[in-house]
Amino acid sequence: VQLQASGGGLVQAGGSLRLACAASGRTFVNLGWFRQAPGKEREFVAVVRRPGSRTYLTESVKGRFTISRDNTKNAVYLQMSSLKPEDTAVYYCAGGDVILSGIREADNYPYWGQGTLVTVSS
């Protein structure tokens, strides 16, 4: 089982980036994104669940980030807009099958991508 993330980079505040994560080896109920800023713990960003592709986002990114998945490609995407310097972090995609009440906890995801760095300059 493997998750391969891509799409990070350097962008100015107010700009946009799109992250992608391709999963292989199995499918997941939950495909999501977490991030970890320097000196901070890994935090939940967004997740999309199947069936139905219902999405859940942390409050600080609502209205700016959109998460989606393509089940035919076993992939998840994070469209980030109106980026702020505080969005700077390593972003990790994650896969798991935990029930809804546990989707925001990193420990509930057994599979992780390698991380992709997003840097937002002011």
Side-chain angles (χ1 to χ4, degrees), residues 11-12 18 20-21 27 34 62 65 67-68 71 74 78 85 90-91 98 118-119 122:
V11 63
Q12 289 188 332
R18 184 176 186 252
C21 177
T27 59
F34 288 72
K62 286 182 180 178
F65 292 11
I67 187 171
S68 61
N71 293 325
N74 203 15
L78 187 68
V90 177
Y91 283 70
V98 69
V118 172
T119 303
S122 57

Coordinates of all heavy atoms in Angstrom, one line a residue, residues 11-12 18 20-21 27 34 62 65 67-68 71 74 78 85 90-91 98 118-119 122:
V11 N 4.7 29.8 -2.8 CA 3.7 30.7 -3.3 C 3.5 31.9 -2.5 O 3.8 31.9 -1.2 CB 2.3 30.0 -3.4 CG1 1.8 29.6 -2.1 CG2 1.3 30.8 -4.2
Q12 N 3.2 33.0 -3.1 CA 3.0 34.3 -2.3 C 1.6 34.2 -1.6 O 0.7 33.5 -2.1 CB 3.0 35.5 -3.2 CG 4.4 35.8 -3.7 CD 4.5 37.1 -4.5 OE1 3.5 37.6 -5.0 NE2 5.7 37.7 -4.4
R18 N -2.4 23.4 -5.7 CA -3.2 22.2 -5.7 C -2.4 21.0 -5.4 O -1.4 20.7 -6.1 CB -3.9 22.0 -7.0 CG -4.9 20.8 -7.1 CD -5.5 20.7 -8.5 NE -6.6 19.7 -8.6 CZ -6.5 18.6 -9.3 NH1 -5.3 18.4 -10.0 NH2 -7.5 17.8 -9.4
A20 N -2.0 16.9 -4.8 CA -2.6 15.6 -5.2 C -2.0 14.4 -4.5 O -0.8 14.5 -4.1 CB -2.4 15.4 -6.7
C21 N -2.7 13.4 -4.3 CA -2.2 12.2 -3.6 C -2.8 11.0 -4.3 O -4.1 10.9 -4.3 CB -2.6 12.2 -2.2 SG -2.1 10.8 -1.2
T27 N -8.2 0.5 -1.4 CA -9.0 1.7 -1.3 C -9.3 2.1 0.1 O -9.2 1.2 1.0 CB -10.3 1.6 -2.1 OG1 -11.0 0.4 -1.5 CG2 -10.1 1.3 -3.6
F34 N -3.4 16.2 6.3 CA -2.9 16.8 7.6 C -1.7 17.6 7.3 O -1.1 17.6 6.2 CB -2.5 15.7 8.6 CG -3.6 14.9 9.2 CD1 -4.3 14.0 8.4 CD2 -4.0 15.1 10.5 CE1 -5.4 13.3 8.9 CE2 -5.1 14.3 11.0 CZ -5.8 13.4 10.3
K62 N -11.8 26.6 6.0 CA -13.1 26.6 5.3 C -13.2 27.9 4.5 O -12.9 29.0 4.9 CB -14.2 26.6 6.4 CG -14.3 25.2 7.0 CD -15.5 25.2 8.0 CE -15.6 23.8 8.6 NZ -16.7 23.7 9.6
F65 N -10.0 26.3 1.2 CA -9.5 25.0 0.7 C -10.7 24.2 0.3 O -11.8 24.2 0.9 CB -8.7 24.3 1.8 CG -7.4 24.9 2.2 CD1 -7.0 26.1 1.8 CD2 -6.5 24.1 3.0 CE1 -5.8 26.7 2.1 CE2 -5.3 24.6 3.4 CZ -4.9 25.9 2.9
I67 N -11.4 20.0 -0.7 CA -10.9 18.6 -0.9 C -11.9 17.9 -1.8 O -13.1 18.0 -1.7 CB -10.7 18.0 0.5 CG1 -10.0 16.6 0.3 CG2 -12.1 17.8 1.2 CD1 -9.6 16.0 1.6
S68 N -11.3 17.0 -2.6 CA -12.1 16.2 -3.5 C -11.4 14.9 -3.7 O -10.2 14.8 -3.4 CB -12.4 16.9 -4.8 OG -11.1 17.2 -5.5
N71 N -12.5 8.5 -7.3 CA -12.5 7.1 -6.9 C -12.0 6.2 -8.1 O -11.4 5.1 -7.8 CB -13.8 6.6 -6.5 CG -14.2 7.3 -5.1 OD1 -13.4 7.5 -4.3 ND2 -15.5 7.6 -5.0
N74 N -8.4 6.5 -7.5 CA -8.0 6.3 -6.1 C -7.1 7.4 -5.6 O -6.0 7.2 -5.1 CB -7.3 4.9 -5.9 CG -7.3 4.4 -4.5 OD1 -8.1 4.9 -3.7 ND2 -6.5 3.4 -4.2
L78 N -6.3 18.5 -2.9 CA -6.6 19.6 -2.0 C -6.3 20.9 -2.8 O -5.1 21.2 -3.1 CB -5.7 19.5 -0.7 CG -6.0 20.6 0.3 CD1 -7.4 20.3 1.0 CD2 -4.9 20.6 1.4
P85 N 0.5 33.0 5.2 CA 1.8 32.5 5.7 C 1.6 31.4 6.7 O 2.4 30.5 6.8 CB 2.4 33.8 6.3 CG 1.9 34.9 5.4 CD 0.4 34.5 5.1
V90 N 4.5 21.2 6.1 CA 4.5 20.0 5.3 C 3.1 19.4 5.3 O 2.6 19.1 6.4 CB 5.6 19.0 5.9 CG1 5.6 17.7 5.0 CG2 7.0 19.6 5.8
Y91 N 2.6 19.1 4.2 CA 1.3 18.5 4.1 C 1.4 17.0 3.7 O 2.1 16.6 2.9 CB 0.5 19.2 2.9 CG 0.0 20.6 3.4 CD1 0.9 21.7 3.6 CD2 -1.4 20.8 3.6 CE1 0.4 22.9 4.0 CE2 -1.8 22.1 4.0 CZ -0.9 23.1 4.2 OH -1.4 24.3 4.6
V98 N -11.5 4.8 9.6 CA -12.1 5.1 10.9 C -13.5 5.7 10.8 O -13.8 6.3 9.8 CB -11.2 6.1 11.7 CG1 -11.1 7.4 11.1 CG2 -11.6 6.1 13.2
V118 N 4.7 23.0 1.6 CA 4.0 24.2 1.1 C 4.5 25.4 1.9 O 4.5 25.5 3.1 CB 2.5 24.1 1.3 CG1 1.8 25.5 1.0 CG2 1.9 23.0 0.4
T119 N 5.1 26.4 1.2 CA 5.6 27.6 1.8 C 4.9 28.8 1.2 O 4.9 29.0 0.0 CB 7.1 27.7 1.5 OG1 7.8 26.5 2.0 CG2 7.7 28.9 2.2
S122 N 5.0 36.1 2.7 CA 4.2 37.2 3.0 C 4.6 38.4 2.1 O 5.6 38.4 1.4 CB 4.3 37.6 4.4 OG 5.6 37.9 4.8

